[in-house]
Structures are given as C-alpha cells and as structure tokens.
Amino acid sequence: MPMLVRKTLREYRRALIGWTIGICTFIGLYVSFFPQMRDNPDFYSQAALAKYPEGVRKLMGGLENFTSGAGFLQAVVYQLFVPLLFIMCAVILGNKAIAAPEESGTLELTVTLPVDRKRLVLERFAALAAGLLAVAVVSLTVLTVLAAAVDMDVPFGRILAAHIALYLLVLFFGTLALTVGAATGNKGLAMGVAGAYAVAGYVFTALSRDSQVMDVLSRLTPFHYYSEGNPLVNGLPVGDCLVLLAGTAVLALTAVLSFDRRDVGV
Amino acid sequence: MPCMTAVVQTEGLTKFYGKRRGLEDLTLEIRPGEVFGYLGPNGAGKTTTIRLLLDVIRPTRGVARLFGADPRDAAVRGRVGYLPGELALEGREKASEYLAYLAGVRGGIGKGMIETLAERLEVDLSVRMGRLSKGNKQKVGLIQAFMHEPDLLILDEPTSGLDPLVQQEFLAMVREARTAGRTVLMSSHVLAEVEHVSNRVGIVRRGRLVAVEDIAALREKAVRKVELHFDAPVPEEAFRDLPGVRDLKIEGAALSCTIDGRPDALIKAAARFTVVHLVSAEPDLEEIFLTYYSEDVHHAHVGA
Ligand SMILES: Nc1ncnc2c1ncn2[C@@H]1O[C@H](COP(=O)(O)OP(=O)(O)O)[C@@H](O)[C@H]1O
Ligand SMILES: [Mg+2]
C-alpha cells in the first residue's frame, strides 16, 4: 500500500472505528424494533400516521408500508438516519485529508516531501475511499446478520445493492469536502458546502414527487440518484450509480488540479 | 557560469499576499558547501523566501531554483532537509512513528540515524507528538531535517525554543554538515545565533534583501573593545591618533579603547611597552548588523 494511503488510514483509524460503532449501533437498535412492528402492523402504521404530520412523513420517505422488511429497511436505515450519519463521517474524514492538516499546519512539511502534489491528493482520496468502504462493509455485515436474525426477509443481493448506492452517495459527499478543502484549505467552508448541499439535496429529493421545481432541483443532487432506483426492491440501479461515481470522479479531479496550483497554508 | 553550480538560486523572486508584500525582487545565489545565514526581524520575509524555495507557496514573479531545477520537481525536494519556522506536530502518533513514516516517504535513510540524532539532541521519541513540549517538537523537527543526510538543509529559525546547550549541539551538527560538503540555509533574527557557523549572511528587511556580507569581512569591519594592562603607567601620546582606534582611555598602567577593523596599529604601538594582560572582547557583529536596520544606505546588489 502506498505510504501516504497507509499514513492517512492510520490517521483515520480512531474516527473510523468510532463512526462504525455509531452507525452499527444505530442500525442494531432500529432493526431490533422490527419484530414488534411486523407483529402489530396496523398499530404502527396508524401511530406513524398520527405521530408525524404529512410534511415530515414526506421528508422521511413517506413511511408507507414500513411494516414489510424492505419498506422498514428503507424507512429506518436507508432513507434518512444512516445516510445522514455516514455522510457526517465522510465529510469529517474528507476534511481530514487536506483542509484540517492545512489549518493545523502539519500539511506544510508533507508538501515539501519528495511526493508530487497531485499524487498526494490522489493518495489521500484513495485512503478516504478505502476508509469509507471499511465502514460500509462492516455496517453491511452487521445489517445482514441482524436482518436475518429478525427474519426480515430481504434478499442479501438487495441489501448489498442498497449499501453500494449508500457507499457511493457517502463517497460523493466525502470527496466534496476533500475537494473544497483541497481548493481552498478552509475546513469550515468545506464542511459548510458539503453540509448545505447534503441537506438541500435531501429535501429537494424528498419533496420531488410534489413539485416540478423540486424534481428538477433534485436531479442536480446526488440524493436523486441514490433513491430514485429503490435498490431494496429493484436491485442495483447501475445508471444512477454511474452518475454518482462520475460526480465523485469529477470532484476528485478538481481536487487534484486545484491543489496542485495553489499556495499551501497562507 | 556560476549559475550552473549554485545550490539555491533566485532571480527577481517576489511574493505578494494580495496587496501585502512578503518578498520583493530577491536575487541570490548560495554556493555548494556554503552555510548561509538569512537574517531579518520578524515579518522581514524570511519564511516567505523559504516557503517559496520549497514550493509550499508560489511566486508572484521571478524564479527559484534548487540544484538548477524547479522546486516543484518532487525529486529535487528529496535532496532537501527542511525545518519549518512554525513546526506543527500533533496527534496521538509517537514521534518515532512519524519519523519512520517520513523516512519511508523519503525512500529510506541510513540505519540508526534517527536514534543517533535523538541521543545527540536528548529527546525521547516514544512520546506522542501532541504531548511534546515546544523545545522537543523543535528537536523532532531537526531530526527529520537531518536524518536523510540531505545535500541542502533549509532551516527556518532552527534555534528557536532550544536551550543553550542544545543550541550548541545543533551548531555542531551544522558544522559537521558543512564539513561533509553539504549546503545550509538557515534563518534567524539574531546574528549571534548564526555568526559562528555561517560563511555569509544575507540581511532581509521589509521584504527586500538589503545586504549580503561575508562573515570574515564583517568581522574585519567589526567594532571590538580592547583592554591592555602594562607593568608601568604609559604615556598617552604613544597611543594618540592611531588608525582605527577610538574612545581611547588611559588610567595609569591600564588602557582601554575600541577598535574598528584590524587591531594591528594598536598592537604595534603597545609592543614598545611591557604588556602583562590583554583582554579583547568578541567583535560585536550585532552592532554592525544593527546599522543595516537603522540606515537604508546599504542597498548591496547581490551578484553585482
Ligand atoms: N499568509 C500570509 N498572508 C498575508 N501576509 C503574510 C502571510 N505570510 C506572511 N505575510 C506577510 O509577509 C511579510 C513577511 O512575512 P514572513 O515571511 O513570515 O517574515 P519572517 O519569516 O521574516 O518573520 C510580513 O509582513 C507578513 O505579515
Ligand atoms: Mg518566519
């Protein structure tokens, strides 16, 4: 493994472990509610309808039919909370790639090493992708085991498809933070841009069924391509995944080129 | 073609931070095997120059070359050991792990180099970097600059934060590097820190290089306080109007004065009497150095 990738992963290790535990705990808690819901479908459907006003339900993906295995996973795991946590993790790690060490001053020595700047960014990006992949693999494993334990009756292929889409979504936002950091060296800005884009993207996509404007806007955000294909039901949406990947690639390329041409630490 | 041999070469090197001047029009050559002291008060432009040389920041105008190559070339940076002026070391990683990583990125270093340097500088490398004191961080910074035995050492205020004994050890390391034929560029805001190891000093002030001086020449120009004690009172006439002698004071058998440059005339005059005791203070280069700050007359154009 290249030196800088290994070093970056070492820097990520604690954060990766922490976020993995957090995300898996969250998944575990929610999945453990499933048997109750399945056994009292009417009660929980009613309760959800009563508890959340329509607008909120829309933001949470409709909450229709969440007493089936796939509907439940979609609603509690893939719709909002897990993507949200995982995106936060990705943005924080993306910031650790360039902007955070630049603000703390440790990047100065790194850029004077006999390593090309382009390569530095690429290796940090590779470490980000690998680190997030590790979180994805562990959480996928935990989810698969728990889903089987509570007889959720969703095929592994579908969970895998949903998790691949989730990983690509998260990688996109992590890379966005890395790229803003690589272009500006500003941690707060990178966090702000990635956070605002994620929130806006989520809202536009959740409301896209209602309004033409929202629908058009949502297409400019990764959430559209993440949720449109409904992988838990239909399997991997290859075209949408390629859009997410292409977006990430464009961002990574932008990061490489912009970091190569600017002053560090000013 | 002296430019073919220069280790560091800049031409019209200029850096503006927005409208703020960091460095303007620096033209300078540092030759192989030379120890160059780069002097100036805070905000003069020393760090700006050094960051430009290492491609941390990019010039507004002008060029910088290391070993005749663009510092953007990663391979050329492999020949440099760099100590940043504001060295940031943090995190839970042990200093030894960080140094091993740096050594790995540099493609390996001599066996035992890190341990030897750590012993010389007396620093414990098993400490987490976030816990190192300022002085120990500086020592780790020196170790990583010296450990791969680079052809060129660029050290930004290397003695800051070091106690006097460690400063002496550091100066010994610089002397050894010079003996081994390496080139050193070190910045400081105090001449006294660099005068004993430097061959030349450059003085930068408000972003401009105002003088480059040979240390030996500087020493020759230096003001020196001298005291002579004789076995009997001496006549004042014997010492009056000697070239280079100022502030002459004779009290019985004791003479004190200040000498500009060579003490030759005074020595010859004193030789006619019996000298029992001679005190000559180290030449106060600081004093000459300060004249560069108080006057703007020394616009020495380097290379001219
Ligand atoms: N990142 C920066 N942004 C704006 N001005 C800067 C920056 N870095 C240095 N300067 C300015 O450039 C000048 C030279 O600074 P510097 O090279 O750090 O001096 P020195 O190292 O000699 O103390 C100072 O006036 C300083 O304020
Ligand atoms: Mg400085």
Side-chain angles (χ1 to χ4, degrees), chain B residues 16-28:
Chain B
F16 277 83
Y17 300 98
K19 284 201 146 92
R20 206 181 164 91
R21 178 166 71 190
L23 182 72
E24 192 161 10
D25 212 14
L26 174 74
T27 298
L28 177 69

Side-chain angles (χ1 to χ4, degrees), chain A residues 186-231:
Chain A
N186 187 327
K187 203 164 65 173
L189 184 66
M191 192 82 82
V193 168
Y197 192 39
V199 169
Y202 183 80
V203 171
F204 294 163
T205 306
L207 303 181
S208 63
R209 261 186 272 170
D210 290 352
S211 123
Q212 191 77 43
V213 180
M214 288 296 173
D215 188 47
V216 172
L217 285 177
S218 74
R219 281 162 204 278
L220 300 174
T221 76
F223 275 99
H224 173 81
Y225 305 94
Y226 167 66
S227 61
E228 173 192 53
N230 199 357

Side-chain angles (χ1 to χ4, degrees), chain A residues 3-4 7 10 14 104-106 108-117 260-264 266, chain B residues 15 17 51 54-58 74 77-78 82 84 88 90 92-93 98 101-102 104-106 144:
Chain A
M3 282 297 205
L4 282 167
K7 160 82 170 157
R10 209 158 61 213
R14 284 167 66 84
S104 75
T106 55
E108 171 156 353
L109 201 52
T110 309
V111 297
T112 65
L113 293 171
V115 177
D116 196 76
R117 284 223 200 159
D260 193 44
R261 63 186 56 195
R262 73 172 175 89
D263 293 351
V264 169
V266 295
Chain B
K15 179 67 183 177
Y17 300 98
R51 285 191 171 139
L54 281 142
D55 191 45
V56 175
I57 57 177
R58 271 56 188 278
R77 294 198 302 270
Y82 171 47
E90 57 178 38
R92 305 171 52 85
E93 201 175 20
Y98 184 60
Y101 150 74
L102 292 176
V105 175
R106 291 194 176 279
Q144 64 79 32

Side-chain angles (χ1 to χ4, degrees), chain A:
Chain A
M1 199 188 293
M3 282 297 205
L4 282 167
V5 177
R6 202 179 330 163
K7 160 82 170 157
T8 311
L9 281 174
R10 209 158 61 213
E11 287 167 5
Y12 283 176
R13 193 174 52 203
R14 284 167 66 84
L16 282 174
I17 292 172
W19 282 99
T20 304
I21 292 174
I23 290 169
C24 291
T25 307
F26 191 89
I27 289 174
L29 277 177
Y30 273 79
V31 170
S32 69
F33 289 150
F34 178 69
Q36 280 179 38
M37 297 224 193
R38 183 186 45 204
D39 298 343
N40 305 289
D42 295 338
F43 174 71
Y44 282 99
S45 296
Q46 292 303 318
L49 286 179
K51 184 169 170 194
Y52 300 110
E54 200 192 339
V56 175
R57 281 207 309 279
K58 274 190 190 128
L59 281 179
M60 294 175 70
L63 295 182
E64 296 128 10
N65 137 56
F66 73 106
T67 52
S68 79
F72 180 84
L73 275 190
Q74 178 61 38
V76 305
V77 174
Y78 291 107
Q79 177 64 30
L80 176 58
F81 296 111
V82 170
L84 194 80
L85 281 178
F86 206 168
I87 286 172
M88 279 164 67
C89 161
V91 168
I92 287 170
L93 294 186
N95 246 337
K96 278 190 190 223
I98 305 280
E102 180 161 357
E103 282 194 9
S104 75
T106 55
L107 191 64
E108 171 156 353
L109 201 52
T110 309
V111 297
T112 65
L113 293 171
V115 177
D116 196 76
R117 284 223 200 159
K118 294 193 181 83
R119 179 138 176 226
L120 172 72
V121 177
L122 273 181
E123 292 202 13
R124 297 249 158 158
F125 168 70
L128 175 69
L132 294 175
L133 185 62
V135 180
V137 168
V138 174
S139 58
L140 171 66
T141 310
V142 168
L143 179 58
T144 306
V145 169
L146 290 176
V150 299
D151 287 325
M152 211 171 248
D153 202 25
V154 182
F156 173 71
R158 293 292 186 261
I159 300 182
L160 177 64
H163 235 76
I164 290 175
L166 174 65
Y167 171 69
L168 293 177
L169 174 77
V170 163
L171 180 62
F172 176 91
F173 281 107
T175 310
L176 177 60
L178 178 145
T179 302
V180 176
T184 66
N186 187 327
K187 203 164 65 173
L189 184 66
M191 192 82 82
V193 168
Y197 192 39
V199 169
Y202 183 80
V203 171
F204 294 163
T205 306
L207 303 181
S208 63
R209 261 186 272 170
D210 290 352
S211 123
Q212 191 77 43
V213 180
M214 288 296 173
D215 188 47
V216 172
L217 285 177
S218 74
R219 281 162 204 278
L220 300 174
T221 76
F223 275 99
H224 173 81
Y225 305 94
Y226 167 66
S227 61
E228 173 192 53
N230 199 357
L232 273 177
V233 177
N234 305 323
L236 192 68
V238 176
D240 287 343
C241 285
L242 288 178
V243 172
L244 290 176
L245 261 183
T248 301
V250 168
L251 286 175
L253 187 69
T254 309
V256 166
L257 295 179
S258 55
F259 186 65
D260 193 44
R261 63 186 56 195
R262 73 172 175 89
D263 293 351
V264 169
V266 295

Side-chain angles (χ1 to χ4, degrees), chain B residues 42-43 46-48 85-86 156-157 187:
Chain B
N42 285 335
K46 305 181 294 295
T47 298
T48 298
E86 285 146 43
D156 195 356
E157 312 232 5
S187 79

